[in-house]
Amino acid sequence: MPDALPRRRITLTVNGKEHSAETEDRYSLADFLRHGLGLTGTHLGCEHGVCGACTVLVNGEAVRGCLMLAVQAEGCRVTTIEGLADDDGALSPLQQAFMDNHGLQCGFCTPGILTTLTAYLRDHPNADEPEIREALSGNICRCTGYDTIVRAALAAARTIREGAKA
């Protein structure tokens, strides 16, 4: 009988709340978030880092949750789609713009796109359409295209430039 798979306890802050849990060394951050913490908003698409559906923020930077091991997130601050809204439930400017501009479509790719754009618009609030399309080049939407997504991102950028937090 094979030995049990290696496990270790990790502690990280997810959406502002500290979590300490055991995980197998081989578990991806996305699997840990979904199965270890029950945060199922992070989706797994290709599991090869190509589609971007699993994108989360680690210490403020957009990373592919399927390519990062959970143990690599020890001591990190992680933000998932569940953590983008304010504590009172108010949507972020980007989430509101997606709702207002019909950018949600089927919703499968939406968590990864929203986390990608949250980091991008925080750092590039003056982004124009070509720049936003380039920022989204690592996120695959299989529905209808990117027009409503880009329109929403441009609307969110305007709101952020007017003083709302990204």
Side-chain angles (χ1 to χ4, degrees):
M1 181 166 202
D3 293 332
L5 294 171
R7 300 178 64 85
R8 71 179 73 193
R9 178 165 290 280
I10 61 171
T11 301
L12 63 161
T13 301
V14 181
N15 300 331
K17 181 178 176 188
E18 186 174 293
H19 295 270
S20 184
E22 280 203 16
T23 183
E24 291 181 18
D25 289 356
R26 65 181 180 89
Y27 244 38
S28 72
L29 177 58
D31 283 332
F32 176 76
L33 293 168
R34 290 182 59 82
H35 304 296
L37 301 183
L39 297 170
T40 57
T42 301
H43 293 165
L44 285 161
C46 68
E47 298 191 53
H48 296 284
V50 176
C51 74
C54 63
T55 305
V56 295
L57 303 178
V58 176
N59 295 333
E61 300 301 318
V63 301
R64 302 290 196 248
C66 71
L67 296 181
M68 183 175 187
L69 295 174
V71 295
Q72 292 175 301
E74 166 68 28
C76 291
R77 290 176 293 105
V78 177
T79 303
T80 68
I81 186 70
E82 291 93 341
L84 292 184
D86 287 341
D87 291 340
D88 66 0
L91 299 177
S92 74
L94 184 60
Q95 290 173 306
Q96 187 63 51
F98 265 63
M99 194 168 96
D100 294 344
N101 291 279
H102 309 288
L104 300 168
Q105 303 176 90
C106 85
F108 188 82
C109 66
T110 302
I113 288 175
L114 287 174
T115 50
T116 296
L117 286 173
T118 294
Y120 186 76
L121 293 177
R122 177 197 65 222
D123 297 340
H124 305 90
N126 295 314
D128 60 16
E129 182 175 338
E131 292 167 331
I132 288 171
R133 288 187 182 276
E134 175 67 24
L136 288 171
S137 65
N139 294 82
I140 297 173
C141 171
R142 295 173 177 88
C143 289
T144 62
Y146 296 86
D147 287 345
T148 58
I149 293 170
V150 171
R151 189 178 325 131
L154 289 168
R158 278 191 300 275
T159 301
I160 293 166
R161 284 193 302 270
E162 293 168 0
K165 77 171 189 167

